Every structure is written in C-alpha cells, then in structure tokens.
Amino acid sequence: MVTTIDDLLARSREGVHRPGAEEAHRAQRDGALLVDIRPAAQRAAEGEIPGALIIERNVLEWRLDPTGGHRIPEATGYDLEVILVCSEGYASSLAAASLRELGLHRATDLDGGFVGWAAAGLPTRQGG
C-alpha cells in the first residue's frame, strides 16, 4: 500500500492538540519551548518570533532528545512542552510526530505556522 503525504500528515496530527497563535503565545509566556524549524532563508524572508528557539529541521531530533549527546540545555526531559513552528504548519506537524516518537509526548506544532502567528498580530521581528 502506498502512503501519500496527505495520509502521513493526517496521521501525524491524529489525536494531537495543535494550538493556534494566541494559545501558543500564552504557552510561550508560561514556559513552553517555542521552536522555529524553518531554514535561515525562510526566516530572513518571512521574519522571526521573538524568544523562539531556532533549531533547523535537519538537526531537530538531535537537539531535543533528552538523552542525546548533542542535545541543547533546554532539552531537560520527556515532559518538555515543545511547540514547533514552520511557515504554515505542515512540516512542523511531521516534525512534532517525530519528536513524539522519541518520547517527547507533549510535542506539538503551531496551527497555521509563522504565517498564522503574524496574521494574528503577535510580535515578530525581521529575520536575520
């Protein structure tokens, strides 16, 4: 049986709460780790979210695995609340599913991505 990207995306989102921009902003203020996984060129073109941690998609699992040798200091355990951000909320859904497979059971992604965040009028800054 062949799996399409639509099937894969639907499975990655099944049973997962994906916060919208306002809810993600509140969660960030309350200590959730907001992680921007977009490549540098996309952040430069679209902008960035102040306070978001930048971990590009290609190294995400290595940086957030609490037991990994290449983890960041913020990767303190499997109960870490992580909200991933991509441009529109598609790649981040797939990435969050990958983190949940590593045991980060609270990993999710921003519904609507950076575009939805900016459209909600939440803080952004020019990308660098």
Side-chain angles (χ1 to χ4, degrees):
M1 183 170 125
V2 175
T3 297
T4 68
I5 188 60
D6 291 333
D7 296 333
L8 190 59
L9 185 62
R11 278 200 309 268
S12 74
R13 292 175 172 174
E14 192 171 292
V16 176
H17 174 68
R18 299 176 66 229
E22 293 287 346
E23 184 181 353
H25 189 234
R26 283 191 304 276
Q28 179 191 29
R29 286 193 318 251
D30 291 342
L33 197 59
L34 194 65
V35 179
D36 192 333
I37 65 169
R38 296 172 298 151
Q42 200 167 31
R43 291 190 316 272
E46 295 177 344
E48 296 178 352
I49 297 172
L53 187 62
I54 296 170
I55 304 176
E56 291 192 15
R57 176 65 189 99
N58 63 323
V59 295
L60 182 68
E61 290 84 355
W62 284 269
R63 300 300 181 257
L64 291 180
D65 180 351
T67 64
H70 299 286
R71 72 183 176 275
I72 59 171
E74 293 87 350
T76 57
Y78 293 103
D79 198 40
L80 185 64
E81 184 178 7
V82 178
I83 303 171
L84 302 180
V85 179
C86 69
S87 184
E88 295 182 4
Y90 295 96
S92 56
S93 289
L94 299 174
S98 179
L99 291 180
R100 289 191 300 276
E101 284 189 44
L102 286 176
L104 293 158
H105 62 97
R106 296 176 71 194
T108 189
D109 70 307
L110 174 60
D111 191 4
F114 179 83
V115 171
W117 179 282
L122 293 170
T124 64
R125 66 175 178 232
Q126 185 172 353

